[in-house]
Amino acid sequence: MAKDGREEAGEPAAVGGRRAPAGAAVLREDKTAAIRSAVFEELAAVGFARMSIEGIARRAGVGKTAVYRRWRSKLHLVLDVVSAVAAEGLPAPDTGSLRGDVRMLLEVAARALRHPMASQIIPDLLAEAARNPEIADALRTALHDSQEGVAAAMVARAVERGELRPGVDARLALDLMTGPLYWRLLVVRDELPKGYLDELALAVASALEA
């Protein structure tokens, strides 16, 4: 970083095919990626309330200025990172059957929720969401709204195949699929018994078909 604190890359970067004005800050992508990764690690280690810009910067191996140049507060940083994860969403399975699609979605969701970081971060942010409407909105998008489109696609394909009647509520389908996993893995913090995902997939498909 240059001594005046304005440069990250040493040379002004090209912007829109032209060189950036002299003295303009150049936001290096590797530093941005390191900061984003550090946010997840810091959230898992200390939680949102104790998390600080200083701690994030130290974990990312950058100065505080590099963080503040991108985000003006830890709240905005966390909201941005959570929103970015939400934008990625879950893959929409297409196995050729409703039960197969449900089973695949459950497998992906269970793997994600079993991750040590997720098991620490999500409960902590849910607690913060009760006190902070902005975090609540971000989590609603990350944990539900972003996945509703996947459920809607699954339901639509099942209707086309004749497995489901028209008018099945995609949001209800998503609740039936993911609710038990959140309960088991993040609330009760219990291991999934052998065959649990198969049984859950059958139960969800049967409930939707009824």
Side-chain angles (χ1 to χ4, degrees), residues 58-110:
R58 183 168 54 251
R59 191 179 290 271
V62 302
K64 288 193 301 181
T65 303
V67 181
Y68 281 118
R69 189 177 287 130
R70 293 163 172 80
W71 299 276
R72 64 179 183 269
S73 70
K74 75 172 186 179
L75 173 60
H76 290 91
L77 173 52
V78 169
L79 292 177
D80 179 62
V81 171
V82 170
S83 297
V85 172
E88 296 177 4
L90 290 174
D94 189 4
T95 65
S97 72
L98 175 62
R99 183 178 174 184
D101 287 353
V102 172
R103 178 62 177 79
M104 181 174 290
L105 183 65
L106 290 174
E107 179 67 36
V108 173

Side-chain angles (χ1 to χ4, degrees), residues 7-93:
E7 283 292 338
E8 291 193 349
E11 294 290 340
V15 179
R18 296 171 298 183
R19 288 178 66 81
V26 180
L27 303 182
R28 286 174 41 180
E29 292 185 5
D30 59 332
K31 286 193 175 184
T32 301
I35 294 169
R36 290 179 183 276
S37 295
V39 170
F40 286 112
E41 294 172 6
E42 196 74 359
L43 277 172
V46 304
F48 179 82
R50 295 175 57 196
M51 187 180 75
S52 67
I53 294 296
E54 290 81 359
I56 293 169
R58 183 168 54 251
R59 191 179 290 271
V62 302
K64 288 193 301 181
T65 303
V67 181
Y68 281 118
R69 189 177 287 130
R70 293 163 172 80
W71 299 276
R72 64 179 183 269
S73 70
K74 75 172 186 179
L75 173 60
H76 290 91
L77 173 52
V78 169
L79 292 177
D80 179 62
V81 171
V82 170
S83 297
V85 172
E88 296 177 4
L90 290 174

Side-chain angles (χ1 to χ4, degrees), residues 42 73 95 126 140 145 157 170 180:
E42 196 74 359
S73 70
T95 65
L126 286 173
R140 187 175 300 110
D145 295 353
R157 284 194 291 267

Side-chain angles (χ1 to χ4, degrees), residues 43-200:
L43 277 172
V46 304
F48 179 82
R50 295 175 57 196
M51 187 180 75
S52 67
I53 294 296
E54 290 81 359
I56 293 169
R58 183 168 54 251
R59 191 179 290 271
V62 302
K64 288 193 301 181
T65 303
V67 181
Y68 281 118
R69 189 177 287 130
R70 293 163 172 80
W71 299 276
R72 64 179 183 269
S73 70
K74 75 172 186 179
L75 173 60
H76 290 91
L77 173 52
V78 169
L79 292 177
D80 179 62
V81 171
V82 170
S83 297
V85 172
E88 296 177 4
L90 290 174
D94 189 4
T95 65
S97 72
L98 175 62
R99 183 178 174 184
D101 287 353
V102 172
R103 178 62 177 79
M104 181 174 290
L105 183 65
L106 290 174
E107 179 67 36
V108 173
R111 189 181 306 122
L113 292 175
R114 281 192 184 108
H115 192 285
M117 283 193 185
S119 66
Q120 296 297 323
I121 291 172
I122 293 177
D124 179 69
L125 288 181
L126 286 173
E128 290 295 331
R131 298 183 286 270
N132 190 313
E134 290 183 275
I135 292 179
D137 288 341
L139 284 179
R140 187 175 300 110
T141 299
L143 300 180
H144 199 288
D145 295 353
S146 67
Q147 299 171 23
E148 191 172 340
V150 174
M154 291 171 57
V155 167
R157 284 194 291 267
V159 170
E160 291 175 359
R161 292 191 296 260
E163 295 176 286
L164 293 180
R165 68 188 185 285
V168 170
D169 188 344
R171 176 164 288 191
L172 173 61
L174 181 61
D175 291 344
L176 289 173
M177 286 184 279
T178 58
L181 291 181
Y182 282 114
W183 173 259
R184 281 248 185 188
L185 296 175
L186 298 185
V187 180
V188 179
R189 293 185 174 273
D190 194 9
E191 290 295 323
L192 300 182
K194 184 178 180 179
Y196 177 79
L197 294 182
D198 291 326
E199 294 177 5
L200 181 57

